[in-house]
Each structure stands twice: as structure tokens, then as C-alpha cells.
Amino acid sequence: NRSRSNITSTGVFAVADLGQVNAARLNLKVFLQGAYTFSTGLMKDGLRTANVIPLIQPYSSALNPLFTRVGVYDGSASVNETVPDITVFDVSGTQDDIVDWVYISLQDNTTPATKLQTRAALIQRDGDIVEYNATSATYVPVRMPIDTHGLYHLVVSHRTHLAARTSTSQLLQDGITMPLYDFSSDQSKAYQDPAILALTPPNNNPAMKDLGGGVFAMWG
């Protein structure tokens, strides 16, 4: 059951469930500076062990206008990202325990400031960004709706960290998992805004925090 308002003309349309939406599979990795631990090379999962990660994703314009939901996954009660219970955040014997929710936006290739779609997803201790598949009870690459096969920018955001955007647009195709895009591997993986880089002191405002040892993270 879907409802829409302010329709002024009709055209070709279809009604289907979310499984029929054109969607690429994202393959993203990023570290959060605030959670990263040098001794393990992983992020801490204290929110999980304290049982305070919400079952329903927390991102909306009410939290911050930056987190406004647009597109197919609009964050409403009927189209929202959830998990069944807190036990799924614990992936025993792996580096895949859940650290927190993150917010991903799909941006226009020509005008990267234009937000086309948004998703909330989960980030694991090793930096992988995933979604929970209740049918298989496993974590899988994030489904991101796309209008058509083509080039898009992707932005990863978090409620207590500065966002990171892909430095180059990525080819996304329906039903296909994109090659791994690892923000943590190099400063050049994140778009470097010239206006911010030029702030005093010069060249000291990169898009990500250099953690040392060739590891980079979103600024806490």
C-alpha cells in the first residue's frame, strides 16, 4: 500500500515491492576515527556491548537536516531499515560485529551536491558497510536504488563524524555488486574540497584523518 500526493499529470508507472526496484549492491569500507583502535586495526563496538544500538535506523531530518531521507527508502514507517533484535549485532568469532548505523547517499555524477537516494546501513568492526538480510539471517552488501545503470558519487555519513564522499564517480548497475571502494586505504579515496584545503593553515584540512600506518578514517 503506497500513497502519493500532488500528482499533476499521469504517465507510465508500476506498483511493486522493494525487491523489484532497480538497485546496485554497494561494496564500501570506511573507518570511524572515534571508534578505531590502533592495537587491533578494528573499531570498538562498545555501543553493541552496551545494547544501545537502535533496532530502527536513527537518521532523519529531525536528527539533522543533513540526514534528510530522499528516494525509495524514505525512512518512513513503511519504508525503513530495521533489524529484528539486538542479537543480530553480535557476529561471534569474526570481525563483523556491528559498530553503529551509518547514512549513505547517492549523489548525481554531474552535480555531486544533488542527492538522489539515501539508505541507512550498518558498519562492522572491520569497516565493511552492510545491511541485514532477515531471510538469510546474514549481512549482505547494501542495496542502493538507482534510476539507471551509470556513474554516481557516494557519500558516507555518521551522526558524530564528518562525511566522506568518493573522489571519483562509481559505475553502479542493477543487481551487480560494485568493486570494493575502500576509503580507509588512501587519503585520495575521499573528495578533497579545495576551499577547505585552503583554509589556514594551508593544506592541513584533508577530507579524512590520517591515523598512521597507511590507514585513514572519517574525522570524529
Side-chain angles (χ1 to χ4, degrees), residues 5 20 52 70 94 105 127 189:
S5 59
Q20 305 307 315
V52 293
V70 301
T94 72
S105 58
K189 288 291 187 176

Side-chain angles (χ1 to χ4, degrees), residues 49-149:
T49 57
N51 293 328
V52 293
I53 301 177
L55 301 184
I56 301 174
Q57 66 82 21
Y59 294 101
S60 70
S61 57
L63 178 63
N64 189 307
L66 294 172
F67 299 136
T68 297
R69 305 299 303 273
V70 301
V72 174
Y73 288 87
D74 61 11
S76 65
S78 59
V79 190
N80 207 354
E81 299 89 343
T82 66
V83 297
D85 58 75
I86 60 173
T87 62
V88 304
F89 295 140
D90 181 7
V91 188
S92 300
T94 72
Q95 301 175 350
D96 293 338
D97 292 326
I98 298 303
V99 174
D100 203 357
W101 290 94
V102 293
Y103 171 92
I104 308 172
S105 58
L106 184 76
Q107 312 285 126
D108 183 73
N109 178 42
T110 304
T111 310
T114 301
K115 188 184 299 184
L116 303 174
Q117 299 281 345
T118 61
R119 282 298 315 265
L122 294 157
I123 187 167
Q124 298 174 322
R125 292 190 67 201
D126 60 3
D128 292 337
I129 295 177
V130 295
E131 68 175 74
Y132 184 74
N133 185 307
T135 302
S136 62
T138 58
Y139 288 104
V140 298
V142 178
R143 281 171 46 89
M144 175 60 79
I146 57 175
D147 291 336
T148 183
H149 295 197

Side-chain angles (χ1 to χ4, degrees), residues 148-161:
T148 183
H149 295 197
L151 297 173
Y152 301 89
H153 283 281
L154 293 161
V155 177
V156 180
S157 306
H158 182 260
R159 58 189 175 76
T160 64
H161 288 71

Side-chain angles (χ1 to χ4, degrees), residues 36-54:
Y36 188 77
T37 304
F38 292 92
S39 60
T40 63
L42 302 170
M43 288 183 286
K44 295 174 287 187
D45 57 341
L47 298 181
R48 179 192 67 80
T49 57
N51 293 328
V52 293
I53 301 177

Side-chain angles (χ1 to χ4, degrees), residues 8-50:
T8 58
S9 63
T10 59
V12 177
F13 69 95
V15 177
D17 65 22
L18 288 177
Q20 305 307 315
V21 172
N22 286 346
R25 290 285 185 176
L26 304 184
N27 190 5
L28 300 171
K29 177 177 178 177
V30 70
F31 284 130
L32 305 174
Q33 179 194 0
Y36 188 77
T37 304
F38 292 92
S39 60
T40 63
L42 302 170
M43 288 183 286
K44 295 174 287 187
D45 57 341
L47 298 181
R48 179 192 67 80
T49 57

